[in-house]
Amino acid sequence: HDIDLTGLADHALAAGESVTFTWTIHPQGNPDIAMFIDNVALMGDYDAYGGWADFHGVGAPNENVDGDNKDNLMEFASGGDPLVIDNPAGISWMENDGGTDYMYYVHYERQDDPDLSYGPVGTTGTLIPATWNPADVEFVGASSGSGLFISVTNRMEVTGDTKFLGVPLELN
């Protein structure tokens, strides 16, 4: 049976509110009756960043409450804690592959917010002004699984020029 809750006066949860559903079985004298619950879905709009920001007590995506040079959006997107100076958003290292030197970069990508996009880019020379180009970066692979985050590995060929690799975030 489908249960329709649209007739309720208020069917939206505010920050900090929760909901609990309880099913009770009355076997009507037959102890062999079993009940299975399948395909439970809560439908509606969800602001993943807003819920995360409310939970942590922080505000706008561009704020950096803890002073660790990662704004709230980067903390949200990479699994950081906006109230604690913690680990960098990713790790990098140099490695030779088949005679070519590469800079590898691994970062985490959040999986529960379709409005969040990651765009690895690279540049050569100086950062000011920088001309970022996604073609400079090669996708190597990503972890799989159903967790909240996956790890994504990219690399960029390193020549005699100074190179930089970045992962700009966008919250649509």
Side-chain angles (χ1 to χ4, degrees):
H1 296 279
D2 289 339
I3 300 172
D4 184 358
L5 303 177
T6 58
L8 297 176
D10 177 12
H11 50 93
L13 295 177
E17 288 185 323
S18 63
V19 64
T20 302
F21 294 96
T22 304
W23 285 270
T24 304
I25 301 173
H26 299 285
Q28 310 247 346
N30 185 348
D32 296 326
I33 292 179
M35 179 175 141
F36 300 94
I37 299 172
D38 189 17
N39 296 326
V40 175
L42 300 177
M43 308 301 282
D45 295 329
Y46 176 68
D47 174 10
Y49 176 81
W52 177 89
D54 287 346
F55 176 79
H56 288 287
V58 297
N62 63 344
E63 293 177 354
N64 180 18
V65 177
D66 58 11
D68 64 359
N69 293 322
K70 292 186 299 185
D71 63 20
N72 289 339
L73 180 58
M74 180 60 77
E75 299 274 14
F76 168 73
S78 64
D81 185 333
L83 305 176
V84 176
I85 296 174
D86 52 8
N87 296 327
I91 59 170
S92 62
W93 70 93
M94 302 291 289
E95 188 173 313
N96 186 286
D97 181 11
T100 303
D101 291 324
Y102 290 96
M103 176 174 55
Y104 285 80
Y105 183 76
V106 178
H107 66 276
Y108 290 107
E109 290 189 4
R110 189 174 192 98
Q111 299 300 293
D112 68 339
D113 192 344
D115 293 330
L116 191 61
S117 62
Y118 301 77
V121 292
T123 189
T124 302
T126 64
L127 288 175
I128 303 173
T131 303
W132 295 97
N133 185 356
D136 291 340
V137 179
E138 176 186 353
F139 173 76
V140 176
S143 63
S144 61
S146 59
L148 184 57
F149 293 93
I150 59 170
S151 62
V152 177
T153 305
N154 293 286
R155 73 181 185 178
M156 183 169 61
E157 186 177 341
V158 178
T159 60
D161 297 326
T162 303
K163 297 253 181 161
F164 299 93
L165 192 149
V167 182
L169 296 171
E170 189 172 313
L171 188 59
N172 301 320

